[in-house]
Amino acid sequence: DLKSEMNKTKNLPLKKDTRASDSSQEDAIDQWARRRKQFKDSKKCSSTGGSSINSTITEGSINSEDARSVDLGLHSENDDRGFYTENFHSASWVFRGDDVSPDNSPRCLSKRPRPVAIRERTVKIAKGTGNYPWGFRIQFSKPILVTEVDTNSAAEEAGLQVGDILIAVNGTDVTSMPHSEAANLARKGPDILTMIVGSDISRYPNTPRPTCRGYLHKRTQSAILKGWRKRWFVLKHNGYLHYYKHKKDEGKSRPLEVTKLEGAEIGVDTSLGKPFVFKCIPQAGNRIFYFCATSNQEMKRWLEAMDKAVHPVHQNHVWVDVTLHNTTLPPLAIKNPECLGLLHQLDRSKDVWIQHYCILKDGCLYFYATLRSTPAQGGLYLQGYIVSEQSLGSKRSVIELKPPSEEFKTFYLCAENVNENKRWITALKASINKWLPLHQAIQDFMNRPLEETRM
């Protein structure tokens, strides 16, 4: 299983020119090894009827070196309550909602109006040189989408990502503006392009891109070699600083060293009597790194980028925010549920069926003690599950929710009668179908011709 997961990760077509480095493969192995250990440690536990299992949800990438555990905050004095989110990863699934037509790319919003949850942020891009000074493309759509971000461009370093929605350009709202007008607005503006961009749960998830990269001189203090050595540094969005001997080694060879910057101490250093020197003292260990830039502007660029890595802003994925909000609502207050009613869930450790009042909404099954209970006892993220009708013991008709991997938990549910079971099976299949695997979404997008403007 581990080998197959590694093959999937290694062969994931994140971009046509993407090259998996040895270090990223090693990181993926480490993560899946941790996940397998977590699974084995908690294999005898169950959720929503057993002990809850909290998922490790990685923000941004399957290969992220700093996976964060998300506690959905639904525990009470009864440890039997919680959400089973093990199979959900924000970088592995695309939410396409009710729009399942193959004619529409999952990266685009549905033609039918529907509410979306948008998280906004401001991106400032310094104008570069050449015909395309900002280094990104926008797609002809409403709203306007970013469809490509050039490697080593100012847009990449500013944090612009594929799939971002353009909300405003240089202070002008562009949500209803043709993309050609938005492009002209940017071209005629100042040398610092200021954009308000947003992302919502219907967009194609992004793989993290380096937030800063370039050559720096690093002070060497080994017993054999002393002095300054020129090295190629890459600071990634996950807050890790990688460096290589040469620029060409990035993506081909393992980094010479990887340092976590979160919690580190950084700042300008004048003790060495050399201009444009700054230091970094990581939180772990007792090493001090000294770096030397080629100019004051280059030093400031690195210090600003590193400061963001030192003080990261941790946020849940939008989908987690949505489900967290829904758990605080009474069952009938969740808008437009796909199915609701009584279901019995099998607790296999005790061989008993536990009754819940259930609400199904957008690939999440919420469990309540009764119709009048608040908040939810727990629930199940259904991404990738296969729904079928099975016979189990004395019950001739049982709903089986089978995960895509044997590592994860299989759930058995049963409604009041056979007809109710069929109603739930139909609804569960439709709800799961609202989510598309990342690799399939990318492939669909690659096969779809787009009208784009390069910036």
Side-chain angles (χ1 to χ4, degrees):
D1 291 340
L2 179 60
K3 190 177 293 184
S4 65
E5 291 296 347
M6 266 305 303
N7 289 334
K8 291 178 185 176
T9 304
K10 188 164 59 177
N11 297 327
L12 205 61
L14 292 176
K15 204 173 182 181
K16 288 182 178 179
D17 59 350
T18 298
R19 295 169 297 181
S21 66
D22 292 338
S23 62
S24 65
Q25 294 176 22
E26 184 175 310
D27 297 338
I29 292 175
D30 290 343
Q31 183 187 353
W32 281 104
R34 289 194 301 270
R35 286 174 55 75
R36 178 175 287 278
K37 183 178 183 301
Q38 180 189 14
F39 164 73
K40 288 181 178 178
D41 291 343
S42 57
K43 189 173 182 180
K44 61 184 177 181
C45 302
S46 63
S47 177
T48 319
S51 297
S52 66
I53 300 174
N54 289 319
S55 172
T56 298
I57 299 180
T58 303
E59 190 75 25
S61 172
I62 280 180
N63 296 338
S64 173
E65 295 167 314
D66 188 18
R68 294 191 294 111
S69 178
V70 177
D71 187 346
L72 296 181
L74 297 173
H75 304 297
S76 64
E77 294 179 358
N78 183 357
D79 289 336
D80 292 346
R81 299 177 182 181
F83 258 69
Y84 188 86
T85 64
E86 188 68 35
N87 198 43
F88 174 75
H89 301 273
S90 60
S92 301
W93 294 95
V94 181
F95 182 80
R96 58 179 176 178
D98 298 320
D99 184 11
V100 295
S101 170
D103 296 330
N104 292 303
S105 166
R107 289 177 64 168
C108 302
L109 298 179
S110 170
K111 296 178 181 179
R112 296 189 294 275
R114 63 178 177 82
V116 293
I118 292 181
R119 176 173 288 147
E120 297 181 8
R121 68 184 192 281
T122 300
V123 175
K124 293 185 178 182
I125 305 175
K127 189 174 184 178
T129 58
N131 295 328
Y132 311 108
W134 286 291
F136 67 95
R137 292 177 186 266
I138 55 176
Q139 178 184 318
F140 177 68
S141 59
K142 287 189 180 181
I144 301 168
L145 295 182
V146 175
T147 55
E148 186 176 340
V149 179
D150 295 343
T151 302
N152 292 334
S153 67
E156 181 185 72
E157 292 186 358
L160 190 68
Q161 297 182 329
V162 173
D164 281 337
I165 298 170
L166 265 60
I167 298 172
V169 174
N170 291 332
T172 302
D173 187 290
V174 297
T175 53
S176 301
M177 185 181 292
H179 83 305
S180 56
E181 292 184 22
N184 290 332
L185 192 65
R187 294 189 183 108
K188 294 177 181 178
D191 288 345
I192 300 294
L193 176 62
T194 302
M195 301 188 298
I196 297 177
V197 299
S199 58
D200 80 302
I201 60 176
S202 68
R203 74 173 172 82
Y204 151 70
N206 308 288
T207 55
R209 296 179 178 276
T211 187
C212 198
R213 69 208 304 171
Y215 278 108
L216 290 171
H217 284 82
K218 174 181 170 293
R219 191 184 185 199
T220 303
Q221 295 178 311
S222 67
I224 301 175
L225 297 173
K226 293 187 178 181
W228 296 85
R229 298 288 181 268
K230 187 178 181 180
R231 296 289 181 257
W232 177 256
F233 285 84
V234 178
L235 175 58
K236 297 193 175 183
H237 274 292
N238 60 11
Y240 282 79
L241 183 65
H242 300 233
Y243 77 86
Y244 306 83
K245 192 172 183 180
H246 303 290
K247 179 181 178 180
K248 63 181 181 180
D249 295 335
E250 183 188 347
K252 293 182 178 179
S253 306
R254 293 183 180 181
L256 298 176
E257 194 165 350
V258 178
T259 304
K260 181 180 180 180
L261 295 188
E262 182 174 355
E265 179 185 338
I266 61 167
V268 178
D269 184 86
T270 58
S271 64
L272 301 178
K274 187 177 176 69
F276 317 133
V277 172
F278 57 101
K279 65 180 179 181
C280 172
I281 307 176
Q283 195 172 41
N286 53 7
R287 287 189 64 184
I288 302 178
F289 292 91
Y290 292 94
F291 306 106
C292 183
T294 56
S295 66
N296 190 53
Q297 182 180 0
E298 183 73 359
M299 180 180 70
K300 286 184 176 179
R301 182 174 77 93
W302 275 100
L303 285 173
E304 288 177 3
M306 291 173 75
D307 185 66
K308 293 178 182 178
V310 170
H311 305 100
V313 178
H314 293 302
Q315 290 181 319
N316 286 337
H317 186 266
V318 175
W319 173 240
V320 178
D321 290 343
V322 170
T323 53
L324 274 172
H325 172 70
N326 286 344
T327 60
T328 65
L329 302 175
L332 300 183
I334 297 179
K335 296 181 179 179
N336 304 317
E338 292 139 26
C339 200
L340 49 84
L342 291 175
L343 281 176
H344 294 79
Q345 186 237 329
L346 176 62
D347 181 350
R348 303 190 74 177
S349 63
K350 301 175 184 177
D351 196 25
V352 295
W353 292 84
I354 302 172
Q355 179 177 285
H356 304 283
Y357 190 84
C358 297
I359 301 289
L360 177 63
K361 172 69 175 175
D362 292 339
C364 184
L365 186 62
Y366 301 87
F367 295 89
Y368 293 83
T370 69
L371 179 60
R372 294 179 175 82
S373 299
T374 304
Q377 285 182 304
L380 170 64
Y381 281 13
L382 295 167
Q383 288 85 356
Y385 272 80
I386 298 173
V387 186
S388 63
E389 186 177 22
Q390 304 287 342
S391 59
L392 188 66
S394 61
K395 294 183 180 292
R396 290 183 301 168
S397 178
V398 172
I399 303 168
E400 181 186 65
L401 297 175
K402 191 172 184 178
S405 169
E406 292 183 358
E407 288 190 48
F408 305 138
K409 181 176 172 59
T410 299
F411 288 85
Y412 293 96
L413 305 170
C414 185
E416 298 298 309
N417 53 58
V418 174
N419 289 334
E420 277 291 287
N421 271 354
K422 294 185 183 301
R423 181 174 72 92
W424 272 102
I425 288 173
T426 301
L428 286 164
K429 287 181 178 179
S431 193
I432 292 171
N433 200 36
K434 290 186 175 185
W435 291 86
L436 194 67
L438 168 65
H439 61 87
Q440 185 179 338
I442 296 175
Q443 193 61 47
D444 290 350
F445 173 71
M446 291 298 184
N447 294 334
R448 182 172 182 264
L450 296 173
E451 181 184 345
E452 298 176 315
T453 296
R454 188 167 183 180
M455 303 292 292

